[in-house]
Amino acid sequence: MADTLRAPVRAPAAGAAPPHRAWTVVLAGLGALLCSLDVVVVATALPALRADFGASLSDLEWTINAYNLVFACLTLTGAALGDRFGRRRMYVVGLAVFTLASALAALAGGPGQLIAARVAQGAGAAVLLPLTLTLISEAFPAEKRGIAIGVWGGVTGLGVAAGPVLGGAVTEGLSWQWIFWLNVPTGLVMLPLAALKLRESYGPRPQLDFVGLLLAAVGLTGLAWAPVRAPQAGWGSAEVLGALGVGVVFVAAFLGWERSRARYPMLPLAHFRRRGFATANGVAFLTFMSLLGSLFMITQLFQLGLGESPLRTGVRILVWTGMPLLVAPLAGALADRFGNRPFMLTGLVLQAVGLGLLARQVEPGVGYGSLVVPLIVAGIGISMVFPTVANAVTSSVPPGDAGVAAGVNNALRELGGVFGVAVAAAVFTRYGGYGSAESFVDGCGPALWVSAGVAAAGAMVALFAPARARAQSPDAPRAGARKPDVSRARASG
């Protein structure tokens, strides 16, 4: 029965377009849109949540970080489940969990219930998002993958762009609950389409690495928990130091298990010896650390520091968040010709420059006109990074390992987002607070300078990326695969 379920999909005839390619781009793009939208859609609703629930700064952080934390810790698991049980099947499961959790978030009656629903949303997204990239990588040949991933990056950018505007419009015109209700009909329409239109595929590993899953989940949770709790408990507290210690120990145990004990490693460590894979994942971590840390502050700056409404906030920062719609598809297409490194490097430099200029302009009474150019510069920067990082990750490993590569990339992206929000909040509370508009601005400026510095560090990592990625042959040996026993085969022959 298991062999029947895992029967390989027949390759299309030579010269024929793979079936369901258009549906793959549409449905994978929509899945990425939902996941990326819910990273940022809550941002412009934070002041409303603070007023409605009497939420503390910690509650506001957890409203964003609960989603990102679970997303980061379980995304490797989601990719592994797709490889084992079928990517289409697990995509449908992840979408169903995400849709149900969105309804529970809309029904939340307090910050605790909302945070719990966000945990469930993160679990669904951890299965859903890595499979969007895997499905595209499976459907498109390497020479055309950059264009498809560029479209994927543009749609992901649409989530980043639409999130603040949608969150502001819904919060102001209806209520914050509707930012979650909108996911429900979208998910219900997508579920039958995904089940019928996507092509099933499997990864190379016939068994789940349960020990690796457990070690990775505990280790990543410890590493992410520490910065989230540090602003309240203190970096020197027993809770934070203990979480860091647990995280380091379990991640080290995970690496040891994957290197020498796992029969079917969920994370072949040999991939990190590939310069393209290692540098792209480092860039992804630092990009999202910078992006979500700055987004957490900027959406509140416009409302609490400059007195804008939620809707006007979303519209005004659209010059920043809307850039991926215009730039990401173009960057993805050009990367097929010129390589990924120029776009990753230039994008992170622009992001650092834009956030640095923004931090320099932030002061009480600053006009919107002084902030437009820095926001545009930073927006063009992130637009160049989104598709080229994804392309670099998937093109640096054999096609059968695209799911694992996407899982690692998404885990590090979301973990970077958790660290970014936590670090930005810690710097903000060190220099300012919520006591007045002036106090908020005092803390926001230094937090944005830190986010700019993180983007600059990402540019330094991008310098070491290979000039052009080498396309991996489908027949290339997979990292972590066990070598056959040649002597035994000869003896038996």
mmCIF file of all heavy atoms in Angstrom, residues 258-275:
data_model
loop_
_atom_site.group_PDB
_atom_site.id
_atom_site.type_symbol
_atom_site.label_atom_id
_atom_site.label_comp_id
_atom_site.label_asym_id
_atom_site.label_seq_id
_atom_site.Cartn_x
_atom_site.Cartn_y
_atom_site.Cartn_z
ATOM 1 N N GLU A 258 21.966 14.192 13.139
ATOM 2 C CA GLU A 258 21.839 14.234 11.684
ATOM 3 C C GLU A 258 23.136 13.824 10.992
ATOM 4 O O GLU A 258 23.111 13.219 9.917
ATOM 5 C CB GLU A 258 21.445 15.641 11.229
ATOM 6 C CG GLU A 258 20.092 16.100 11.722
ATOM 7 C CD GLU A 258 18.958 15.284 11.136
ATOM 8 O OE1 GLU A 258 18.754 15.358 9.913
ATOM 9 O OE2 GLU A 258 18.295 14.570 11.894
ATOM 10 N N ARG A 259 24.254 14.130 11.613
ATOM 11 C CA ARG A 259 25.542 13.851 10.981
ATOM 12 C C ARG A 259 25.866 12.356 10.996
ATOM 13 O O ARG A 259 26.385 11.819 10.006
ATOM 14 C CB ARG A 259 26.653 14.626 11.693
ATOM 15 C CG ARG A 259 28.044 14.399 11.095
ATOM 16 C CD ARG A 259 29.131 15.144 11.865
ATOM 17 N NE ARG A 259 28.923 16.583 11.785
ATOM 18 C CZ ARG A 259 28.586 17.352 12.826
ATOM 19 N NH1 ARG A 259 28.383 16.809 14.019
ATOM 20 N NH2 ARG A 259 28.442 18.644 12.677
ATOM 21 N N SER A 260 25.568 11.666 12.083
ATOM 22 C CA SER A 260 26.102 10.311 12.215
ATOM 23 C C SER A 260 25.094 9.229 12.560
ATOM 24 O O SER A 260 25.387 8.045 12.399
ATOM 25 C CB SER A 260 27.206 10.304 13.290
ATOM 26 O OG SER A 260 26.675 10.753 14.535
ATOM 27 N N ARG A 261 23.899 9.588 13.029
ATOM 28 C CA ARG A 261 22.988 8.554 13.528
ATOM 29 C C ARG A 261 21.727 8.381 12.693
ATOM 30 O O ARG A 261 21.173 7.282 12.617
ATOM 31 C CB ARG A 261 22.574 8.893 14.978
ATOM 32 C CG ARG A 261 23.724 9.000 15.973
ATOM 33 C CD ARG A 261 24.351 7.647 16.232
ATOM 34 N NE ARG A 261 23.392 6.715 16.806
ATOM 35 C CZ ARG A 261 23.065 6.661 18.101
ATOM 36 N NH1 ARG A 261 23.629 7.513 18.956
ATOM 37 N NH2 ARG A 261 22.201 5.782 18.542
ATOM 38 N N ALA A 262 21.233 9.465 12.106
ATOM 39 C CA ALA A 262 19.957 9.395 11.389
ATOM 40 C C ALA A 262 20.103 8.585 10.108
ATOM 41 O O ALA A 262 21.010 8.826 9.301
ATOM 42 C CB ALA A 262 19.453 10.794 11.062
ATOM 43 N N ARG A 263 19.185 7.615 9.918
ATOM 44 C CA ARG A 263 19.215 6.802 8.704
ATOM 45 C C ARG A 263 18.781 7.624 7.494
ATOM 46 O O ARG A 263 19.331 7.498 6.405
ATOM 47 C CB ARG A 263 18.310 5.590 8.881
ATOM 48 C CG ARG A 263 18.369 4.608 7.711
ATOM 49 C CD ARG A 263 17.520 3.385 7.973
ATOM 50 N NE ARG A 263 17.601 2.448 6.863
ATOM 51 C CZ ARG A 263 16.886 1.320 6.786
ATOM 52 N NH1 ARG A 263 16.053 1.013 7.778
ATOM 53 N NH2 ARG A 263 17.008 0.515 5.745
ATOM 54 N N TYR A 264 17.745 8.441 7.686
ATOM 55 C CA TYR A 264 17.251 9.336 6.639
ATOM 56 C C TYR A 264 17.222 10.750 7.208
ATOM 57 O O TYR A 264 16.213 11.187 7.724
ATOM 58 C CB TYR A 264 15.853 8.913 6.170
ATOM 59 C CG TYR A 264 15.823 7.528 5.570
ATOM 60 C CD1 TYR A 264 15.349 6.448 6.299
ATOM 61 C CD2 TYR A 264 16.280 7.315 4.274
ATOM 62 C CE1 TYR A 264 15.328 5.175 5.751
ATOM 63 C CE2 TYR A 264 16.258 6.045 3.716
ATOM 64 C CZ TYR A 264 15.788 4.976 4.470
ATOM 65 O OH TYR A 264 15.763 3.715 3.922
ATOM 66 N N PRO A 265 18.371 11.468 7.164
ATOM 67 C CA PRO A 265 18.444 12.792 7.811
ATOM 68 C C PRO A 265 17.418 13.762 7.246
ATOM 69 O O PRO A 265 17.232 13.851 6.032
ATOM 70 C CB PRO A 265 19.869 13.256 7.500
ATOM 71 C CG PRO A 265 20.625 12.023 7.145
ATOM 72 C CD PRO A 265 19.629 11.106 6.506
ATOM 73 N N MET A 266 16.736 14.487 8.154
ATOM 74 C CA MET A 266 15.799 15.515 7.698
ATOM 75 C C MET A 266 16.543 16.766 7.256
ATOM 76 O O MET A 266 16.010 17.588 6.522
ATOM 77 C CB MET A 266 14.798 15.859 8.800
ATOM 78 C CG MET A 266 15.407 16.469 10.046
ATOM 79 S SD MET A 266 14.188 16.870 11.291
ATOM 80 C CE MET A 266 13.328 18.235 10.545
ATOM 81 N N LEU A 267 17.792 16.925 7.692
ATOM 82 C CA LEU A 267 18.621 18.060 7.289
ATOM 83 C C LEU A 267 20.021 17.543 6.955
ATOM 84 O O LEU A 267 20.858 17.412 7.847
ATOM 85 C CB LEU A 267 18.698 19.106 8.404
ATOM 86 C CG LEU A 267 19.646 20.280 8.157
ATOM 87 C CD1 LEU A 267 19.269 21.015 6.885
ATOM 88 C CD2 LEU A 267 19.643 21.237 9.334
ATOM 89 N N PRO A 268 20.275 17.201 5.704
ATOM 90 C CA PRO A 268 21.621 16.766 5.321
ATOM 91 C C PRO A 268 22.621 17.909 5.508
ATOM 92 O O PRO A 268 22.564 18.919 4.812
ATOM 93 C CB PRO A 268 21.471 16.393 3.836
ATOM 94 C CG PRO A 268 20.006 16.175 3.642
ATOM 95 C CD PRO A 268 19.335 17.138 4.581
ATOM 96 N N LEU A 269 23.520 17.741 6.462
ATOM 97 C CA LEU A 269 24.423 18.837 6.813
ATOM 98 C C LEU A 269 25.413 19.153 5.697
ATOM 99 O O LEU A 269 25.970 20.254 5.662
ATOM 100 C CB LEU A 269 25.167 18.498 8.103
ATOM 101 C CG LEU A 269 24.281 18.276 9.336
ATOM 102 C CD1 LEU A 269 25.131 17.978 10.549
ATOM 103 C CD2 LEU A 269 23.411 19.502 9.590
ATOM 104 N N ALA A 270 25.612 18.203 4.797
ATOM 105 C CA ALA A 270 26.531 18.471 3.683
ATOM 106 C C ALA A 270 26.045 19.628 2.814
ATOM 107 O O ALA A 270 26.856 20.259 2.126
ATOM 108 C CB ALA A 270 26.694 17.211 2.829
ATOM 109 N N HIS A 271 24.757 19.935 2.854
ATOM 110 C CA HIS A 271 24.263 21.073 2.077
ATOM 111 C C HIS A 271 24.926 22.375 2.512
ATOM 112 O O HIS A 271 25.103 23.289 1.702
ATOM 113 C CB HIS A 271 22.749 21.217 2.235
ATOM 114 C CG HIS A 271 21.959 20.176 1.483
ATOM 115 N ND1 HIS A 271 22.450 19.522 0.380
ATOM 116 C CD2 HIS A 271 20.703 19.686 1.687
ATOM 117 C CE1 HIS A 271 21.542 18.680 -0.072
ATOM 118 N NE2 HIS A 271 20.474 18.753 0.702
ATOM 119 N N PHE A 272 25.280 22.473 3.793
ATOM 120 C CA PHE A 272 25.882 23.714 4.284
ATOM 121 C C PHE A 272 27.322 23.867 3.815
ATOM 122 O O PHE A 272 27.911 24.926 3.997
ATOM 123 C CB PHE A 272 25.797 23.785 5.809
ATOM 124 C CG PHE A 272 24.417 24.133 6.299
ATOM 125 C CD1 PHE A 272 23.548 23.139 6.708
ATOM 126 C CD2 PHE A 272 23.987 25.445 6.323
ATOM 127 C CE1 PHE A 272 22.268 23.454 7.146
ATOM 128 C CE2 PHE A 272 22.717 25.771 6.754
ATOM 129 C CZ PHE A 272 21.849 24.770 7.168
ATOM 130 N N ARG A 273 27.876 22.812 3.218
ATOM 131 C CA ARG A 273 29.190 22.962 2.588
ATOM 132 C C ARG A 273 29.071 23.588 1.204
ATOM 133 O O ARG A 273 30.074 23.955 0.595
ATOM 134 C CB ARG A 273 29.894 21.606 2.510
ATOM 135 C CG ARG A 273 30.313 21.060 3.860
ATOM 136 C CD ARG A 273 31.383 19.990 3.721
ATOM 137 N NE ARG A 273 30.867 18.766 3.120
ATOM 138 C CZ ARG A 273 30.363 17.744 3.812
ATOM 139 N NH1 ARG A 273 30.293 17.812 5.139
ATOM 140 N NH2 ARG A 273 29.927 16.669 3.192
ATOM 141 N N ARG A 274 27.844 23.690 0.709
ATOM 142 C CA ARG A 274 27.607 24.383 -0.549
ATOM 143 C C ARG A 274 27.515 25.882 -0.251
ATOM 144 O O ARG A 274 26.650 26.321 0.498
ATOM 145 C CB ARG A 274 26.310 23.894 -1.199
ATOM 146 C CG ARG A 274 26.247 22.400 -1.463
ATOM 147 C CD ARG A 274 24.882 22.031 -2.017
ATOM 148 N NE ARG A 274 24.676 20.598 -2.065
ATOM 149 C CZ ARG A 274 24.950 19.828 -3.100
ATOM 150 N NH1 ARG A 274 25.471 20.379 -4.199
ATOM 151 N NH2 ARG A 274 24.720 18.537 -3.064
ATOM 152 N N ARG A 275 28.404 26.641 -0.843
ATOM 153 C CA ARG A 275 28.478 28.064 -0.521
ATOM 154 C C ARG A 275 27.172 28.779 -0.836
ATOM 155 O O ARG A 275 26.725 29.656 -0.090
ATOM 156 C CB ARG A 275 29.646 28.702 -1.285
ATOM 157 C CG ARG A 275 30.007 30.108 -0.843
ATOM 158 C CD ARG A 275 31.470 30.413 -1.141
ATOM 159 N NE ARG A 275 31.817 30.143 -2.522
ATOM 160 C CZ ARG A 275 31.906 31.077 -3.480
ATOM 161 N NH1 ARG A 275 31.638 32.338 -3.172
ATOM 162 N NH2 ARG A 275 32.245 30.766 -4.698
#
